[in-house]
Amino acid sequence: MEDIASLMAHGPGLSQSDWTNFGATQEDHMFDVQEQARILVENIQAAASEGAQTDSESATDFSSTTEPVINRPVNEPV
């Protein structure tokens, strides 16, 4: 019982070494998050580039045709 009483005798908080360890752990975690964000950004940019390339290729294909792509006016009631 005396051990429990001595452990509970102070208020909650972190010692200086606990605070330093907490900061170091969170710093490592933030570096991991930063790396994941960098990878995500690269993937988004690559996908956008692929989409732009596909659009450019499709525009070239459709610009050479003289026939309408569909047989009705676009955005008008049928």
Side-chain angles (χ1 to χ4, degrees):
M1 287 300 274
E2 289 178 19
D3 289 337
I4 294 172
S6 67
L7 290 172
M8 302 303 288
H10 59 82
L14 295 173
S15 69
Q16 185 61 38
S17 64
D18 289 341
W19 183 250
T20 301
N21 291 339
F22 173 80
T25 301
Q26 294 308 310
E27 182 179 33
D28 290 342
H29 176 69
M30 291 309 297
F31 284 130
D32 291 343
V33 170
Q34 183 180 21
E35 177 64 13
Q36 291 173 2
R38 184 190 62 74
I39 292 168
L40 181 60
V41 165
E42 287 178 356
N43 288 340
I44 290 169
Q45 288 175 335
S49 178
E50 293 264 340
Q53 182 178 358
T54 299
D55 287 348
S56 293
E57 291 169 359
S58 296
T60 303
D61 292 343
F62 285 112
S63 66
S64 64
T65 183
T66 57
E67 296 294 319
V69 176
I70 58 176
N71 292 328
R72 66 174 179 80
V74 177
N75 296 328
E76 293 182 13
V78 177

